[in-house]
Amino acid sequence: MAEDKKPRALATQAAGKIPKFVRGSLSATLKAKEEGKKVAYAYIADGQDEIMRAMDIVPAWGESFAGVCAAKRDAEKFLQKAEADNFSRSLCTYATCTIGFDMMREELNGEPVPGAPWGGMARPDMILGSGQLLCDPRFKWPQATQHYIPDVPVFVGNMYYPPFDPKLDHKDQEKFYVKYAADELRELVKFCEKVTGKKMDWDRLAALTELSDKTWDLFIDTYELRKAIPTPMDTGDAMNTMVPFTFNLATQEAYDFYKDLYDELQQKIADKKGVVEDEKYRILWGAGLPSWFALGDFQYFNNKGAVFPVEVTYRGGEKIERLDLPKTNDPLEHIAWRWVRYWTHWYDKARKRPGSIPKVERIIEYIEDYKCDGVVFHSAFSCRSWHAGIIHQANTLKKVYGDIPVLIMEGDIVDISSYNEADTHNRIDAFIETLDAAKKRKG
Amino acid sequence: MTHYFAGLDIGSTMTKVVIISDKLEASLIGPTGPEHRKLANKVMEEALDLAGLRFIDLTYIVATGYGRINVPFADRQITEITCHARGIHSLLPTVKTIVDIGGQDSKGIKIKDGKVTNFVMNDKCAAGTGRFLEVIADSLGVPLERLGELSLTARKAAEISSTCTVFAEHEVNNQLANGESVANLIAGIHQSVATRVYSLVRKLKIEPDVAITGGGAKNIGLVKALETRFGYPVLVPPEPLITGALGAALIGKEVYEKYTTEGQTPIRCGRGLEEATFFS
Ligand code: SF4
């Protein structure tokens, strides 16, 4: 239908500023050489942001670059390039897209790849990987990249946190994990000092860590405004507004962005301006990275009166006071505590509900806080770390919480060949009808 | 005055029409052509002839299936998931899980009191759908409608390890060349489809009674293979192809009755059947 074909409209003005952020990050890598700065291949959600920023290392985010390629529907050439070197399509397509790009750039002796979206990323001076419980490409991606840029030094730190065991109190073990993570970060600092030839400015690191904490708080305060009915912002926008938090943490620009977004959302709430005129269904985006080439699907939901006031994806923070972090003067130890406490934040709740798991507790908390009628998961096949557990999460949710409508969409983050718009819309239509029936049943 | 309601289900390979009043007036199944809109017009005309009705006698029309948005004269479009649930509930009220095996996709639907509570769909791969059987039937030179009965004569189902349609076809040809019987191969293929469908539907908590709908339900060999997989008998409605169209007609009737009870008239699309030619 004609109304479904409209291009994605953003609900907030703030989201409109995001392309500048993304472009800025990419071009910063291209300008770094002139400015005498070092570039590092970096990976999101790994606790390394403040260290890079404090040492003036310019992060080149593969995930962001691959996302841009996908959104512009221009990733295929990079995926095919990697495939030609035997990287399977079922591997993380953020990784394979970026590796394909690296291969092309190396064939041009490190010069920019013509036609790469927004100029692409500069050849890095180092690779700062972070193996962690999140996913296996965090180890293998830097290793595979090094095949093509063998002269570039690699550091892969390990940021762990206690695994969940309903019979054990993880707090008994967390000090060990915090020490381990802080030691890893210390090693990272030494590595960066060696590559940059500069010493860490510890006061600057402390100040940036404080700025990050403030940004974590403001980010959550801002997002919690979306509890309002009608919600002033949708996950379709959040897939944009996550950028400063995810890729620009420990910068004043990121903090200022959320200040503006906070003010804008408050104003919208005061004006009772929702994402859609007649908000009928509130849905939680329960897990999974989106198909960057199909963000218009959020609009498709919106056109049916469905909004997403909350999402688990890219909400990689909590209010600092809720994490109850022990006081320390060592910024690395502080980052380590924040890391461990964030990833274990829903453990206590999960232990209290037999059969539950932390990820499901988080979903339940959001369903209740944001008054959601249903949950959508996106199973992006090449992101195994999310993909593998989605059905288990959906089943556990139904078992421990109740029969809430759930839709599992299937696709990929970058590989458009996984996507069929008509089928996706058909599933969404059926899900909306299911939500409607469930709401009527509830009365 | 009698009110008549039509449900039109435009699937990937078949178009189905059901017309009801307080009883079933007519049902019709025809192939889906590349231009759904034109064909919808034609099939609807035939169904009206069968029922001895004119288009203006229809009070409300609901379209469903993949081609639903292409029906210009439908008053409402509803997905086949909801319509199958409603249709099956009216025929077999004890059913809690529906397995629909269509020409190009298969689905699992959980229902409670005729309403959908959960669903899964396989629409990305031909394995586990009617298309898979069609390809193999073609390759073996056996008419599609004979696959089921032939499979029942198998002495031992052949093992087909490939789930991909293209590889399975290759495997069948190899086994045929090695002397495996056609009946054993067909039984093996049915088991393969049943396994694919089962692994899809298992994502829902399967609860009996289970009903099979769609073209796959007309294949006795596949139904038996599914029963073996589920571990208990399944139910098959008398005409498994029309449950979606029937559900659509029933929903149309409910919509109309709800509106009139509230003293309102449902909004109609206002298009005549003849206007369908406008799109040709
Ligand atoms: S597998 Fe998933 S979590 Fe891991 S790097 Fe790729 S997209 Fe990110």
Side-chain angles (χ1 to χ4, degrees), chain A residues 50-51 54-55 182 185-190 193 198-210 329-333 335:
Chain A
E50 291 90 346
I51 293 173
M55 300 196 77
L185 293 174
R186 253 180 275 286
E187 288 303 313
L188 170 68
V189 171
K190 279 191 215 155
E193 286 180 335
K198 283 203 307 199
K199 282 282 159 207
M200 169 61 90
D201 177 344
W202 294 96
D203 288 339
R204 190 169 174 214
L205 179 65
L208 288 177
T209 307
E210 215 179 302
N329 289 327
D330 177 357
L332 296 183
E333 206 179 286
I335 294 169

Side-chain angles (χ1 to χ4, degrees), chain A residues 63 92 94 134-135 137-138 141 289 382-386 413:
Chain A
E63 290 116 320
C92 168
Y94 281 169
L134 190 64
C135 82
R138 294 309 180 95
W141 180 357
L289 299 167
S382 83
C383 173
R384 292 187 299 286
S385 61
W386 286 95
I413 36 184

Side-chain angles (χ1 to χ4, degrees), chain A residues 397-425:
Chain A
L397 175 67
K398 283 184 179 255
K399 204 161 78 200
V400 302
Y401 185 66
D403 214 4
I404 183 160
V406 164
L407 172 69
I408 300 179
M409 303 213 291
E410 287 164 25
D412 186 45
I413 36 184
V414 175
D415 187 352
I416 199 166
S417 66
S418 64
Y419 183 72
N420 179 330
E421 188 182 73
D423 288 336
T424 304
H425 289 183

